[in-house]
Amino acid sequence: MAEGTATAAGAGPDVNTAGNPTEVAMAYLQDEKTEADIANLNLGELDITTDEFILDEVDIHIQANLEDDLVKEALKTGVDLRQYSKQVEAELQRIEQASIKDYIKESQNIALLHNQITACDSILERMEGMLSGFQSDLSSISSEIQTLQQQSVSMNVRLKNRQAVRSHLSQLVDELVVPGAMISTILDSPVTEQEFLEQLHELNTKINFAKELSFRETLACSDIQDIVDRLKLKAVSKIREFILQKIYSFRKPMTNYQIPQNTLLKYRFFYQFLLANERTVAKEIRDEYVDTMSKIYYSYFKSYSGRLLKVQYEEVADKDDLMGVEDTAKKGFFSKPSLKSRNTIFTLGQRGAILSPAELEGPILVPHTAQRGDSRYPYETLFRSQHYALLDNGCREYLFLSDFFMVAGNSALDLFNSIMGKTLSMFLKSMSTYVSDCYDSIAVFLCIHIILRFRAITAKRNIPALDKYWEAVLELLWPRFELILEMNISSIRNTDPQKLGVLDTRPHYITRRYAEFSSAIVSINQTFPNERTNALLGQLQIEVENFVLKMAAEFPSRRDQLIFLINNYDMMLSVLMERAADDSKEVEGFQQLLLARTQEFIEEILSPPFGGMIAFVKEAEALMEKGQLDRLKNDEARITQLVRGFSSTWKQSVEAMSQDVMRSFTNFKNGTSIIQGALTQLIQYYHGFHKVLNQPTFRSLAVRSELINLHHLMVEVKKHKPNF
């Protein structure tokens, strides 16, 4: 009832002007009646006869009404609907009257409720106003927050910009400001102090920064330009004085210039500072250094080379000291008093040790020490000492120039040549003079290989400064070596055997010279092979072989010729195998020659005592191959003589042959080998003799029983083999 009243009050007329509760209640009732009339009016206006009425909808409404409980009850009891309608209407009027009475009865409460609702509306209206104010305030606050946020972002950007500007300005100011410590250090401190070097770095930075700002036309640059320039001039003056003083100290006698060089390397930034800020002074220092060091190196190496020549062997080869020159008393160089010096011309001996790593990079010779000890050295030893000093000093100088003067590539090479060029020219001139009158081919060849090894050392150290010099030296030495070798070849080719004195089957001195020389060149040439050298050695070998054959032809008997050939081939082969590889062309060539002549000599020495048997065996074997052995059937007397002759004389013949061989050959080992070969060949011939006599043609011969048992012969022959 209260809810319906409240709804009526909310939907009814303005009750603010109604003060009597009864009037208020009647007003509400009037409103309800009016609503009922409107509803009845609306139902009355419904025209069910019109064509627009939709029958389907009527059916739906009827069906819905039939579902009503009251309608169901009325239809069930069979009540008259009109009567029932009036009854319902009366019931409604009764209920209406009762409802009005209830309204009137509760009018006080309704009026109170109305006032409360009105008060609530007023409160709610005020609250709505307050909330609207709050909403308006919140909107305003949100707008202010957005404004503050935008201001904050803007202020943050400005702050960052100011910080960035401050950083750049701070750096700019720091770079521009010249502190008092820098001024006092540059002006007053010695250049050798670490503090001066540090402040010099700072000054160089400020100078570069000032240059950069001047390009940008920065006005602040003019504020410090004057003081920076004055500090630069002071620093340049002090550095110039210091470096020139060090350079002048090189000129003092007995000065180890490497010490001031090392000092300059500690202060290499000084030259870098001069090069960047005062090129005129930098050029002055560089020119002064080049002039000073050029004179120092030239003076040192000129003096050292001159003193080295004083400890060279006094006796040196000349143009007559060639391989094919006869060894007679008239030739003083090759006479017995000069035997030691002569051997050094064609014999390597201990001279090859100069190429060993220990000797090659060993300490250089000290001439005055050698003079006090009365020591003398071959030219290649002096050459090694001189050029190792050059290599050592040249490498160190090139590294110093590259480091201190900050040069590389062609610039470094040009600077190096401006210092060492005069010295290198002196070396080449001196060497050219020596080479033009040198006939010691082993010395020249050793010098060539010394240079080849020194060139490899500089390449390993990555120092290209001396490459052109090495090439120039080789261009001097190679042609001279080839010329001397060709002169020796010609001397052997033109040798007249009849002018070489008394004939002797022992090894000839010319072949010994060749053997020593060839083995020396082959052993040296193994490390850095040279085809031109190999070709010349091949020519020399051919000429020596021809010479040996010409000398052998001077002997009247073939036996002496073979002894001479075998002795010379064996000697040359022995000397070559001491130094050359076993598979070298020279060794293989002489091995074949020695083997061929040895086989021929064995046949030669077997022929006198056993020639008849050997001839019979060869003849019989030839006929056996043709199937004509019967042609010897009538040679019984010959065979008997051969069998009995061998049995009675073979021991004496073998003994005499062995003694003769050992007397004929200077190499006992070679002589033993020849005897063994001869006895082996003898047994083979006697075995062939047995084989022939065992043929059907000769089986009936009674003399076969007198043949020596082959095994017994072998045992007896072994007793005659000499052991050395």
Side-chain angles (χ1 to χ4, degrees):
M1 185 67 184
E3 290 178 0
T5 306
T7 303
D14 188 4
V15 295
N16 290 333
T17 59
N20 191 346
T22 302
E23 292 177 355
V24 172
M26 291 302 292
Y28 276 100
L29 288 174
Q30 184 64 36
D31 290 338
E32 289 185 355
K33 182 178 180 181
T34 302
E35 292 175 357
D37 292 340
I38 292 170
N40 290 331
L41 180 60
N42 291 337
L43 289 172
E45 291 177 352
L46 181 61
D47 185 3
I48 64 174
T49 62
T50 60
D51 294 335
E52 296 177 357
F53 184 78
I54 302 173
L55 294 179
D56 291 339
E57 294 182 359
V58 172
D59 290 340
I60 293 172
H61 286 294
I62 292 173
Q63 187 65 31
N65 291 329
L66 289 176
E67 295 295 327
D68 188 82
D69 292 337
L70 291 177
V71 175
K72 286 182 178 181
E73 184 65 25
L75 293 174
K76 186 177 181 182
T77 56
V79 179
D80 186 4
L81 292 177
R82 288 188 295 273
Q83 184 64 34
Y84 186 73
S85 174
K86 291 180 180 180
Q87 185 181 346
V88 171
E89 185 177 355
E91 184 67 23
L92 289 173
Q93 288 179 355
R94 185 184 64 77
I95 292 172
E96 181 182 357
Q97 291 298 322
S99 176
I100 291 171
K101 289 180 181 180
D102 287 339
Y103 274 113
I104 294 172
K105 183 179 179 180
E106 296 294 334
S107 60
Q108 293 292 331
N109 292 333
I110 290 171
L112 180 61
L113 179 61
H114 174 73
N115 291 331
Q116 290 177 350
I117 290 173
T118 303
C120 287
D121 285 343
S122 177
I123 293 170
L124 290 174
E125 185 177 0
R126 288 198 303 275
M127 289 182 66
E128 182 181 5
M130 290 174 62
L131 291 175
S132 297
F134 288 156
Q135 183 178 8
S136 177
D137 292 341
L138 287 175
S139 298
S140 177
I141 291 172
S142 175
S143 177
E144 291 178 0
I145 289 174
Q146 290 180 354
T147 303
L148 290 174
Q149 185 179 7
Q150 293 174 354
Q151 292 177 353
S152 175
V153 171
S154 177
M155 291 175 66
N156 189 34
V157 171
R158 290 198 299 271
L159 176 62
K160 289 182 178 179
N161 291 337
R162 289 179 179 180
Q163 288 177 342
V165 171
R166 179 183 177 183
S167 174
H168 288 295
L169 286 176
S170 176
Q171 182 180 359
L172 177 64
V173 172
D174 290 341
E175 295 289 349
L176 286 174
V177 171
V178 180
M182 176 186 292
I183 297 173
S184 60
T185 301
I186 296 296
L187 293 178
D188 302 328
S189 297
V191 296
T192 55
E193 290 188 3
Q194 182 64 26
E195 187 179 1
F196 180 87
L197 187 60
E198 294 173 356
Q199 294 298 334
L200 188 66
H201 277 278
E202 291 295 326
L203 177 61
N204 190 56
T205 302
K206 292 186 181 298
I207 292 172
N208 293 333
F209 189 70
K211 290 179 181 177
E212 182 180 350
L213 291 181
S214 65
F215 291 145
R216 300 178 185 176
E217 298 182 356
T218 305
L219 296 177
C221 178
S222 59
D223 296 338
I224 64 163
Q225 191 65 50
D226 182 59
I227 188 170
V228 168
D229 288 342
R230 283 189 287 174
L231 285 176
K232 181 181 73 173
L233 292 175
K234 183 63 176 178
V236 166
S237 175
K238 295 177 72 173
I239 291 171
R240 175 184 176 276
E241 181 181 357
F242 170 76
I243 296 179
L244 288 178
Q245 181 183 1
K246 291 297 178 185
I247 293 174
Y248 293 150
S249 68
F250 295 169
R251 303 176 180 179
K252 296 179 181 178
M254 306 300 292
T255 298
N256 183 358
Y257 61 86
Q258 295 175 12
I259 296 176
Q261 271 187 340
N262 293 334
T263 303
L264 287 176
L265 286 178
K266 289 172 58 179
Y267 302 103
R268 61 175 62 87
F269 181 71
F270 287 173
Y271 184 78
Q272 182 180 346
F273 181 83
L274 294 177
L275 195 62
N277 299 288
E278 198 63 50
R279 286 187 172 271
T280 304
V281 177
K283 185 178 184 304
E284 177 191 3
I285 288 176
R286 176 168 164 169
D287 293 343
E288 193 66 34
Y289 178 85
V290 168
D291 181 65
T292 299
M293 293 307 297
S294 176
K295 292 177 180 177
I296 288 174
Y297 281 125
Y298 180 78
S299 174
Y300 166 73
F301 279 108
K302 183 178 181 181
S303 173
Y304 183 67
S305 300
R307 284 181 284 139
L308 279 179
L309 292 177
K310 294 180 181 179
V311 295
Q312 184 183 359
Y313 279 135
E314 295 179 358
E315 294 180 345
V316 294
D318 58 28
K319 63 181 179 179
D320 295 324
D321 297 323
L322 300 174
M323 198 175 296
V325 175
E326 58 216 68
D327 191 6
T328 63
K330 294 180 180 180
K331 298 293 181 181
F333 192 86
F334 290 111
S335 61
K336 290 184 179 179
S338 301
L339 184 61
K340 182 178 179 181
S341 297
R342 181 194 62 193
N343 289 341
T344 61
I345 297 175
F346 301 108
T347 304
L348 185 62
Q350 297 300 317
R351 297 170 73 182
I354 197 72
L355 299 179
S356 65
E359 290 282 343
L360 191 68
E361 300 183 53
I364 63 174
L365 289 178
V366 181
H368 63 271
T369 303
Q371 282 180 305
R372 282 203 301 266
D374 199 24
S375 300
R376 290 292 183 269
Y377 301 94
Y379 179 76
E380 65 271 9
T381 301
L382 310 181
F383 182 88
R384 195 283 315 176
S385 183
Q386 181 188 46
H387 282 80
Y388 188 69
L390 175 65
L391 181 147
D392 191 42
N393 285 276
C395 289
R396 184 182 294 107
E397 186 64 30
Y398 181 81
L399 293 175
F400 174 82
L401 295 175
S402 300
D403 197 358
F404 185 78
F405 291 105
M406 298 178 296
V407 289
N410 291 330
S411 299
L413 293 177
D414 292 341
L415 185 58
F416 178 84
N417 290 329
S418 63
I419 293 175
M420 301 295 294
K422 190 176 179 181
T423 301
L424 299 180
S425 297
M426 178 195 69
F427 272 19
L428 291 174
K429 183 178 180 180
S430 173
M431 199 174 309
S432 177
T433 302
Y434 168 79
V435 165
S436 63
D437 196 36
C438 175
Y439 295 89
D440 187 352
S441 52
I442 289 182
V444 176
F445 200 58
L446 285 172
C447 291
I448 288 172
H449 280 263
I450 288 171
I451 293 298
L452 292 175
R453 284 161 173 77
F454 282 168
R455 185 172 65 178
I457 291 173
T458 55
K460 186 178 180 180
R461 296 181 183 179
N462 197 23
I463 306 294
L466 292 170
D467 288 353
K468 290 185 178 179
Y469 174 75
W470 300 139
E471 294 299 327
V473 173
L474 292 176
E475 288 176 2
L476 281 175
L477 295 177
W478 273 119
R480 187 63 187 181
F481 172 73
E482 294 173 0
L483 176 63
I484 299 173
L485 204 52
E486 289 170 353
M487 291 174 66
N488 280 284
I489 293 171
S490 298
S491 70
I492 294 177
R493 183 187 301 121
N494 299 327
T495 299
D496 185 358
Q498 296 181 354
K499 295 181 179 180
L500 295 180
V502 180
L503 291 177
D504 193 341
T505 58
R506 290 176 295 180
H508 198 275
Y509 58 83
I510 290 181
T511 57
R512 180 172 294 279
R513 292 175 189 172
Y514 162 76
E516 295 287 353
F517 177 79
S518 182
S519 64
I521 299 301
V522 169
S523 63
I524 296 171
N525 199 45
Q526 287 175 350
T527 307
F528 293 92
N530 180 267
E531 292 302 322
R532 175 62 178 161
T533 301
N534 292 333
L536 289 172
L537 285 179
Q539 294 180 24
L540 181 62
Q541 181 180 350
I542 292 172
E543 295 300 332
V544 169
E545 291 175 4
N546 293 336
F547 165 76
V548 172
L549 293 176
K550 286 193 295 183
M551 283 297 301
E554 296 294 317
F555 291 92
S557 68
R558 183 58 182 167
R559 179 179 176 278
D560 289 341
Q561 292 177 0
L562 291 173
I563 293 173
F564 177 80
L565 292 173
I566 291 173
N567 276 330
N568 281 275
Y569 291 155
D570 176 65
M571 181 274 298
M572 290 188 285
L573 185 61
S574 299
V575 174
L576 282 170
M577 291 183 68
E578 289 180 4
R579 298 186 181 274
D582 292 342
D583 58 349
S584 67
K585 293 187 298 183
E586 291 80 7
V587 171
E588 291 179 353
F590 285 115
Q591 282 178 337
Q592 294 174 1
L593 291 171
L594 178 62
L595 181 61
R597 298 290 79 77
T598 300
Q599 287 298 116
E600 185 180 352
F601 180 75
I602 289 173
E603 296 292 335
E604 186 72 22
I605 61 174
L606 288 176
S607 180
F610 309 109
M613 182 191 69
I614 294 172
F616 176 79
V617 170
K618 291 180 178 179
E619 182 182 359
E621 289 178 347
L623 291 173
M624 284 173 61
E625 291 179 359
K626 298 177 182 180
Q628 301 174 358
L629 190 60
D630 291 341
R631 293 173 58 180
L632 298 177
K633 188 175 182 180
N634 298 322
D635 287 350
E636 181 178 351
R638 177 186 176 191
I639 294 172
T640 302
Q641 182 182 0
L642 290 175
V643 171
R644 291 174 180 173
F646 182 85
S647 299
S648 61
T649 63
W650 76 268
K651 288 185 179 180
Q652 295 85 351
S653 298
V654 167
E655 183 67 28
M657 182 179 63
S658 298
Q659 293 178 1
D660 182 47
V661 168
M662 297 310 298
R663 284 194 303 268
S664 299
F665 297 101
T666 55
N667 184 351
F668 289 138
K669 184 178 179 181
N670 184 44
T672 302
S673 175
I674 291 174
I675 292 174
Q676 290 177 349
L679 295 177
T680 302
Q681 188 67 28
L682 176 62
I683 292 173
Q684 289 179 354
Y685 280 131
Y686 199 70
H687 178 263
F689 192 52
H690 267 262
K691 186 177 178 181
V692 170
L693 295 183
N694 284 333
Q695 297 299 315
T697 305
F698 304 110
R699 284 179 183 175
S700 59
L701 294 178
V703 76
R704 289 181 66 251
S705 61
E706 299 181 23
L707 286 171
I708 300 174
N709 182 272
L710 191 61
H711 179 71
H712 175 72
L713 179 63
M714 292 174 64
V715 172
E716 290 296 325
V717 163
K718 285 183 179 179
K719 295 179 182 179
H720 291 81
K721 287 185 178 180
N723 296 316
F724 293 97

